[in-house]
Amino acid sequence: MDLLEWRQAIARDWRKIRDAPLKVRGDKDAVIAAIRQRPEALAYAVDDVRCDTDVLNEVLRAGQRETVSRRELSQPREETPDSF
């Protein structure tokens, strides 16, 4: 696969980055595509990309989205007449 194909595959499924060659794990766009789905994907990036400001900002944004989603899931649902 070429780099574009890897990026597309990772954008569909972040887990593809685990098996990607170093060239792909060193590609900022591919890493960000994975991080947007799962912040933990940062672990598969090469060191230079892990330290990139844009990548780290994306990890923070993705983590915030995940926290909000978890919080929404843990909130008690309001009971409405339709929910009985």
Side-chain angles (χ1 to χ4, degrees):
M1 276 199 282
D2 68 10
L3 184 56
L4 181 58
E5 290 170 321
W6 274 107
R7 285 179 184 162
Q8 291 169 341
I10 291 167
R12 287 189 301 273
D13 182 357
W14 74 272
R15 293 170 293 195
K16 298 285 186 191
I17 200 163
R18 295 186 295 196
D19 301 319
L22 282 175
K23 178 177 111 175
V24 176
R25 292 187 285 131
D27 180 70
K28 188 163 92 169
D29 293 329
V31 171
I32 287 175
I35 288 169
R36 285 182 176 152
Q37 297 168 63
R38 190 72 173 200
E40 293 86 357
L42 181 64
Y44 297 98
V46 299
D47 289 343
D48 289 347
V49 173
R50 275 190 215 157
C51 298
D52 183 90
T53 305
D54 295 332
V55 171
L56 293 175
N57 284 333
E58 193 59 46
V59 169
L60 292 174
R61 279 192 290 276
Q64 288 171 342
R65 286 191 299 268
E66 213 171 86
T67 300
V68 168
S69 295
R70 283 191 199 136
R71 192 175 308 135
E72 289 170 354
L73 289 173
S74 67
Q75 300 264 333
R77 217 173 103 194
E78 286 187 31
E79 292 185 11
T80 62
D82 294 339
S83 65
F84 293 107

